[in-house]
Amino acid sequence: MLGLGRTAPDAPLDLLAAELHRASADFNDCAYSSLALRLPRLISAGHQSTSASDTFPVLAQAYLLATRILIKLDEPQLGWMAADRARQFAAAGGTPMVIAEAARQQAVLARKAGWHDQALTLALNAADDPDLRELGSAGIAQRGLLVECAAYTVAHQHDQTGMRELTSEATAIAIASAP
């Protein structure tokens, strides 16, 4: 992830996307040994690509995956770096769902650091992004996840009323989107 090791050869976008799919499968299958090799290579290859702007969405997803791993490993400093890179590449690549998910992961990191106000701000500001509203059911689902993340944060502050209000808001989002 830090760019150490051999320089990756230029890889076409479809190959990078396939590697991202495999890395995500490794994560979901808890195949961490494979993931530990695959993900840094993917990130390096994405940075080395000659069609850099086309790889921004793939890099955003790769850094988001790295963030999730780093949260599991309780490595908040590297997690912040990866989440920030995910958010920057998602913004440059025009992928609002990944921007929102990166914000949610940043909110998790802020909550774990005890920065509850910042966690709430990150989650709720991302949930209010108009771009999510334009994405249909996927955007609505992401908004619900962000509001639930905020609810979890206020629960950590022992604010039962705030938690219930935010949980009700997430429920209302889900109900409003139901067919």
Side-chain angles (χ1 to χ4, degrees):
M1 187 170 94
L2 298 175
L4 304 174
R6 295 182 299 162
T7 301
D10 189 26
L13 184 58
D14 58 341
L15 179 63
L16 293 173
E19 278 301 296
L20 175 63
H21 181 73
R22 287 185 199 99
S24 296
D26 284 348
F27 180 82
N28 291 333
D29 295 340
C30 301
Y32 299 127
S33 294
S34 174
L35 183 61
L37 297 172
R38 186 180 310 280
L39 188 57
R41 289 179 185 160
L42 169 61
I43 290 171
S44 179
H47 281 286
Q48 296 296 323
S49 175
T50 56
S51 58
S53 63
D54 291 341
T55 65
F56 288 169
V58 172
L59 278 168
Q61 289 280 4
Y63 276 114
L64 191 55
L65 186 56
T67 303
R68 293 172 64 198
I69 293 163
L70 292 164
I71 289 171
K72 282 184 176 292
L73 293 173
D74 197 26
E75 290 288 345
Q77 292 86 2
L78 290 174
W80 276 107
M81 182 196 69
D84 182 61
R85 286 188 179 178
R87 207 164 175 183
Q88 288 179 18
F89 280 114
T95 51
M97 285 291 288
V98 181
I99 295 169
E101 183 57 23
R104 190 171 76 87
Q105 296 303 321
Q106 287 176 319
V108 168
L109 287 160
R111 182 178 59 240
K112 285 178 156 261
W115 305 334
H116 296 113
D117 291 342
Q118 292 86 346
L120 272 172
T121 299
L122 284 162
L124 294 177
N125 283 347
D128 285 339
D129 185 345
D131 289 340
L132 285 181
R133 297 176 194 274
E134 296 174 10
L135 295 176
S137 59
I140 291 167
Q142 186 65 45
R143 286 184 61 230
L145 285 172
L146 287 158
V147 173
E148 280 298 325
C149 181
Y152 193 68
T153 298
V154 295
H156 273 265
Q157 295 175 294
H158 307 291
D159 179 357
Q160 292 180 356
T161 302
M163 183 200 62
R164 286 187 185 105
E165 288 172 3
L166 288 166
T167 302
S168 294
E169 182 180 341
T171 302
I173 290 169
I175 290 171
S177 69

